[in-house]
Amino acid sequence: MGTKVSVKWDKQMYRDVEVDMSAPLELFKTQLWTLTGVSPDRQTLMVKGKKLRDDTGWGSVTVKPNTMVLMMGTTGELISEPAEKIVFAEDLDQDDPDALNQLVVKRGLQNFGNLCYVNSTVQCLNQIDELQPVLDQLKSSSSENNHPVQLAKALNSLLTSLDPSIPAPASGKPLALFNVLKTINPVFAEQNQMGMNKQQDAEECWSLILSQLASALQNRGGGENPVDQMFGISMKETSTNQESTDEVITVTTKHRLLRCHIGNKTSHLFEGLKESLEEDVERNSEVLGRDATFKQISKIEKLPGYLAVQMVRFRWKAAESVKAKILKSISFPFTLDVLDLCSEDLQAKLKVRRNEEIKKHDEAVARAQSQVDADEARTPEPEKPKDADETMDKASSSAADASANDGEATAESPVKIITSETGVYELVGVLTHQGRIAESGHYVSWCKDKDGSWWQFDDEKVYQRTEEDIRKLTGGGDWHMAYMLLYKARNSYD
């Protein structure tokens, strides 16, 4: 049971608001968003004059029943179309390649009939910074032509076509990749009565691509498979017999995504993740000599550089013979902290790194403030003109440094892949589904650029979006709703 507190916002008072002290602060902010309409990024929370921080959560304050929480913040504007309409390359003069290359900011993918699930998957995978360098190495070093290698090379070629700095058509063509997919798994080759490709599940496409890439990259260069470095999750599963608690079975399992179960009381991603890691399962009992119910609790022992999460929105309806969709609204954070989902050993390692980063951040802030104070106290001196030779030397030195650091990975050296050192992740991609059943509807991807801007990839159409637009993808109606989430490890507090 949670603790019930009172929340004061402006002139409003909300009493008996339940707080789960073990959950991230983001969950409580989401509850307040529902009550007040103030989005989490606009909320400032204080308890007894002390500001609550997302990284420390409730651990920094003492909360008792009926504790007063003061909330400050204003509601945001309703979602609207972008102020500036994106200019599509296909609308430009095709005889002017300079105009084409300058104005194409992002590239979409053509849909040759119900291939939106492929296109949205590829656009999300394009968020993985290390993926294409890894595939480039494979392309240059492998002479094999089996299905996994074919898929890897087709994906690499498609990702290359999405690079706006390379002269190419305005939209990429996924046909080569699709042809390999349907050769590997005939399900993707199924057609409807009109002879068109059938709609398929984007998660199944995602998982098939990763498994084939892992096969193509195994035993190359030694060390852990690059796909498992990017996405691999190790779990310790402990199952206890509910009828004979002395029977405990412990195994280690490996996965490439987490699943968020959606139950009657689930309203936030973190709740669904916890539910999926604690469940009752039926399995054979050696003690009882028959099947029995085991309580299975899973803890993460190894985290990946990129964390993929599937919202389990589709369930089989036998009466209609369809995979029906759960439309319930499930909020998700832009910053996901999975510390509480990890084993005690992993938690201890993550906390050490977190403390180091917090200390480093606080020291940097203190140095910056000292510099500001010193600058304000100092009488400014007139700036001296720079010597031309000195300027040239610095420019040459910078260019040399850039050249030395560019392309860190070579055919001989493995690509350096980000690891999770703190258990904190930043949202970089959302794959959504619009529709009521899995066999129909439409898939779209929403991806975050390095400059923090968000882009919607609707096949060949590309739109710039805002964080508010992304917050509207929680579900609850017939609008686009999150089906898969892609998070990238954040190891710094800068």
mmCIF file with all atom_site columns, all heavy atoms in Angstrom, residues 55-66:
data_model
loop_
_atom_site.group_PDB
_atom_site.id
_atom_site.type_symbol
_atom_site.label_atom_id
_atom_site.label_alt_id
_atom_site.label_comp_id
_atom_site.label_asym_id
_atom_site.label_entity_id
_atom_site.label_seq_id
_atom_site.pdbx_PDB_ins_code
_atom_site.Cartn_x
_atom_site.Cartn_y
_atom_site.Cartn_z
_atom_site.occupancy
_atom_site.B_iso_or_equiv
_atom_site.pdbx_formal_charge
_atom_site.auth_seq_id
_atom_site.auth_comp_id
_atom_site.auth_asym_id
_atom_site.auth_atom_id
_atom_site.pdbx_PDB_model_num
ATOM 1  N N   . ASP A 1 55 ? 16.249 12.620 -9.896  1.00 0.00 ? 55 ASP A N   1
ATOM 2  C CA  . ASP A 1 55 ? 17.288 11.603 -9.701  1.00 0.00 ? 55 ASP A CA  1
ATOM 3  C C   . ASP A 1 55 ? 17.295 11.030 -8.286  1.00 0.00 ? 55 ASP A C   1
ATOM 4  O O   . ASP A 1 55 ? 17.681 9.875  -8.082  1.00 0.00 ? 55 ASP A O   1
ATOM 5  C CB  . ASP A 1 55 ? 18.678 12.163 -10.046 1.00 0.00 ? 55 ASP A CB  1
ATOM 6  C CG  . ASP A 1 55 ? 18.986 13.443 -9.284  1.00 0.00 ? 55 ASP A CG  1
ATOM 7  O OD1 . ASP A 1 55 ? 18.063 13.998 -8.675  1.00 0.00 ? 55 ASP A OD1 1
ATOM 8  O OD2 . ASP A 1 55 ? 20.154 13.869 -9.307  1.00 0.00 ? 55 ASP A OD2 1
ATOM 9  N N   . THR A 1 56 ? 16.834 11.815 -7.290  1.00 0.00 ? 56 THR A N   1
ATOM 10 C CA  . THR A 1 56 ? 16.825 11.302 -5.913  1.00 0.00 ? 56 THR A CA  1
ATOM 11 C C   . THR A 1 56 ? 15.434 10.871 -5.469  1.00 0.00 ? 56 THR A C   1
ATOM 12 O O   . THR A 1 56 ? 15.297 10.072 -4.547  1.00 0.00 ? 56 THR A O   1
ATOM 13 C CB  . THR A 1 56 ? 17.361 12.369 -4.940  1.00 0.00 ? 56 THR A CB  1
ATOM 14 O OG1 . THR A 1 56 ? 16.592 13.567 -5.089  1.00 0.00 ? 56 THR A OG1 1
ATOM 15 C CG2 . THR A 1 56 ? 18.822 12.672 -5.235  1.00 0.00 ? 56 THR A CG2 1
ATOM 16 N N   . GLY A 1 57 ? 14.382 11.422 -6.127  1.00 0.00 ? 57 GLY A N   1
ATOM 17 C CA  . GLY A 1 57 ? 13.013 11.004 -5.825  1.00 0.00 ? 57 GLY A CA  1
ATOM 18 C C   . GLY A 1 57 ? 12.614 11.294 -4.393  1.00 0.00 ? 57 GLY A C   1
ATOM 19 O O   . GLY A 1 57 ? 12.961 12.323 -3.802  1.00 0.00 ? 57 GLY A O   1
ATOM 20 N N   . TRP A 1 58 ? 11.907 10.327 -3.801  1.00 0.00 ? 58 TRP A N   1
ATOM 21 C CA  . TRP A 1 58 ? 11.384 10.499 -2.441  1.00 0.00 ? 58 TRP A CA  1
ATOM 22 C C   . TRP A 1 58 ? 12.439 10.248 -1.368  1.00 0.00 ? 58 TRP A C   1
ATOM 23 O O   . TRP A 1 58 ? 12.202 10.500 -0.179  1.00 0.00 ? 58 TRP A O   1
ATOM 24 C CB  . TRP A 1 58 ? 10.213 9.547  -2.210  1.00 0.00 ? 58 TRP A CB  1
ATOM 25 C CG  . TRP A 1 58 ? 9.055  9.800  -3.126  1.00 0.00 ? 58 TRP A CG  1
ATOM 26 C CD1 . TRP A 1 58 ? 8.718  9.093  -4.237  1.00 0.00 ? 58 TRP A CD1 1
ATOM 27 C CD2 . TRP A 1 58 ? 8.090  10.854 -3.017  1.00 0.00 ? 58 TRP A CD2 1
ATOM 28 N NE1 . TRP A 1 58 ? 7.610  9.637  -4.837  1.00 0.00 ? 58 TRP A NE1 1
ATOM 29 C CE2 . TRP A 1 58 ? 7.194  10.713 -4.093  1.00 0.00 ? 58 TRP A CE2 1
ATOM 30 C CE3 . TRP A 1 58 ? 7.896  11.880 -2.106  1.00 0.00 ? 58 TRP A CE3 1
ATOM 31 C CZ2 . TRP A 1 58 ? 6.130  11.580 -4.293  1.00 0.00 ? 58 TRP A CZ2 1
ATOM 32 C CZ3 . TRP A 1 58 ? 6.829  12.750 -2.299  1.00 0.00 ? 58 TRP A CZ3 1
ATOM 33 C CH2 . TRP A 1 58 ? 5.954  12.595 -3.379  1.00 0.00 ? 58 TRP A CH2 1
ATOM 34 N N   . GLY A 1 59 ? 13.614 9.759  -1.768  1.00 0.00 ? 59 GLY A N   1
ATOM 35 C CA  . GLY A 1 59 ? 14.628 9.428  -0.776  1.00 0.00 ? 59 GLY A CA  1
ATOM 36 C C   . GLY A 1 59 ? 15.189 10.618 -0.043  1.00 0.00 ? 59 GLY A C   1
ATOM 37 O O   . GLY A 1 59 ? 15.800 10.470 1.021   1.00 0.00 ? 59 GLY A O   1
ATOM 38 N N   . SER A 1 60 ? 14.987 11.820 -0.590  1.00 0.00 ? 60 SER A N   1
ATOM 39 C CA  . SER A 1 60 ? 15.567 13.017 0.030   1.00 0.00 ? 60 SER A CA  1
ATOM 40 C C   . SER A 1 60 ? 14.652 13.664 1.066   1.00 0.00 ? 60 SER A C   1
ATOM 41 O O   . SER A 1 60 ? 15.053 14.624 1.721   1.00 0.00 ? 60 SER A O   1
ATOM 42 C CB  . SER A 1 60 ? 15.910 14.051 -1.049  1.00 0.00 ? 60 SER A CB  1
ATOM 43 O OG  . SER A 1 60 ? 14.732 14.434 -1.750  1.00 0.00 ? 60 SER A OG  1
ATOM 44 N N   . VAL A 1 61 ? 13.423 13.158 1.223   1.00 0.00 ? 61 VAL A N   1
ATOM 45 C CA  . VAL A 1 61 ? 12.481 13.756 2.175   1.00 0.00 ? 61 VAL A CA  1
ATOM 46 C C   . VAL A 1 61 ? 11.790 12.659 2.984   1.00 0.00 ? 61 VAL A C   1
ATOM 47 O O   . VAL A 1 61 ? 11.797 11.492 2.612   1.00 0.00 ? 61 VAL A O   1
ATOM 48 C CB  . VAL A 1 61 ? 11.405 14.613 1.458   1.00 0.00 ? 61 VAL A CB  1
ATOM 49 C CG1 . VAL A 1 61 ? 12.048 15.792 0.745   1.00 0.00 ? 61 VAL A CG1 1
ATOM 50 C CG2 . VAL A 1 61 ? 10.610 13.766 0.484   1.00 0.00 ? 61 VAL A CG2 1
ATOM 51 N N   . THR A 1 62 ? 11.190 13.073 4.098   1.00 0.00 ? 62 THR A N   1
ATOM 52 C CA  . THR A 1 62 ? 10.400 12.154 4.929   1.00 0.00 ? 62 THR A CA  1
ATOM 53 C C   . THR A 1 62 ? 8.928  12.413 4.658   1.00 0.00 ? 62 THR A C   1
ATOM 54 O O   . THR A 1 62 ? 8.446  13.540 4.822   1.00 0.00 ? 62 THR A O   1
ATOM 55 C CB  . THR A 1 62 ? 10.699 12.365 6.421   1.00 0.00 ? 62 THR A CB  1
ATOM 56 O OG1 . THR A 1 62 ? 12.089 12.131 6.653   1.00 0.00 ? 62 THR A OG1 1
ATOM 57 C CG2 . THR A 1 62 ? 9.877  11.401 7.267   1.00 0.00 ? 62 THR A CG2 1
ATOM 58 N N   . VAL A 1 63 ? 8.225  11.396 4.233   1.00 0.00 ? 63 VAL A N   1
ATOM 59 C CA  . VAL A 1 63 ? 6.816  11.538 3.877   1.00 0.00 ? 63 VAL A CA  1
ATOM 60 C C   . VAL A 1 63 ? 5.968  10.671 4.797   1.00 0.00 ? 63 VAL A C   1
ATOM 61 O O   . VAL A 1 63 ? 6.187  9.456  4.888   1.00 0.00 ? 63 VAL A O   1
ATOM 62 C CB  . VAL A 1 63 ? 6.564  11.154 2.402   1.00 0.00 ? 63 VAL A CB  1
ATOM 63 C CG1 . VAL A 1 63 ? 5.078  11.245 2.074   1.00 0.00 ? 63 VAL A CG1 1
ATOM 64 C CG2 . VAL A 1 63 ? 7.360  12.068 1.481   1.00 0.00 ? 63 VAL A CG2 1
ATOM 65 N N   . LYS A 1 64 ? 5.031  11.299 5.461   1.00 0.00 ? 64 LYS A N   1
ATOM 66 C CA  . LYS A 1 64 ? 4.086  10.603 6.325   1.00 0.00 ? 64 LYS A CA  1
ATOM 67 C C   . LYS A 1 64 ? 2.680  10.800 5.777   1.00 0.00 ? 64 LYS A C   1
ATOM 68 O O   . LYS A 1 64 ? 2.463  11.644 4.896   1.00 0.00 ? 64 LYS A O   1
ATOM 69 C CB  . LYS A 1 64 ? 4.187  11.145 7.757   1.00 0.00 ? 64 LYS A CB  1
ATOM 70 C CG  . LYS A 1 64 ? 5.559  10.971 8.398   1.00 0.00 ? 64 LYS A CG  1
ATOM 71 C CD  . LYS A 1 64 ? 5.578  11.577 9.793   1.00 0.00 ? 64 LYS A CD  1
ATOM 72 C CE  . LYS A 1 64 ? 6.948  11.421 10.438  1.00 0.00 ? 64 LYS A CE  1
ATOM 73 N NZ  . LYS A 1 64 ? 6.983  12.037 11.796  1.00 0.00 ? 64 LYS A NZ  1
ATOM 74 N N   . PRO A 1 65 ? 1.702  10.029 6.267   1.00 0.00 ? 65 PRO A N   1
ATOM 75 C CA  . PRO A 1 65 ? 0.319  10.245 5.818   1.00 0.00 ? 65 PRO A CA  1
ATOM 76 C C   . PRO A 1 65 ? -0.108 11.696 5.998   1.00 0.00 ? 65 PRO A C   1
ATOM 77 O O   . PRO A 1 65 ? 0.172  12.320 7.024   1.00 0.00 ? 65 PRO A O   1
ATOM 78 C CB  . PRO A 1 65 ? -0.493 9.298  6.716   1.00 0.00 ? 65 PRO A CB  1
ATOM 79 C CG  . PRO A 1 65 ? 0.460  8.197  7.042   1.00 0.00 ? 65 PRO A CG  1
ATOM 80 C CD  . PRO A 1 65 ? 1.799  8.859  7.177   1.00 0.00 ? 65 PRO A CD  1
ATOM 81 N N   . ASN A 1 66 ? -0.757 12.242 4.958   1.00 0.00 ? 66 ASN A N   1
ATOM 82 C CA  . ASN A 1 66 ? -1.277 13.612 4.937   1.00 0.00 ? 66 ASN A CA  1
ATOM 83 C C   . ASN A 1 66 ? -0.190 14.680 4.824   1.00 0.00 ? 66 ASN A C   1
ATOM 84 O O   . ASN A 1 66 ? -0.459 15.867 5.039   1.00 0.00 ? 66 ASN A O   1
ATOM 85 C CB  . ASN A 1 66 ? -2.149 13.898 6.163   1.00 0.00 ? 66 ASN A CB  1
ATOM 86 C CG  . ASN A 1 66 ? -3.365 12.989 6.222   1.00 0.00 ? 66 ASN A CG  1
ATOM 87 O OD1 . ASN A 1 66 ? -3.991 12.727 5.198   1.00 0.00 ? 66 ASN A OD1 1
ATOM 88 N ND2 . ASN A 1 66 ? -3.677 12.493 7.415   1.00 0.00 ? 66 ASN A ND2 1
#
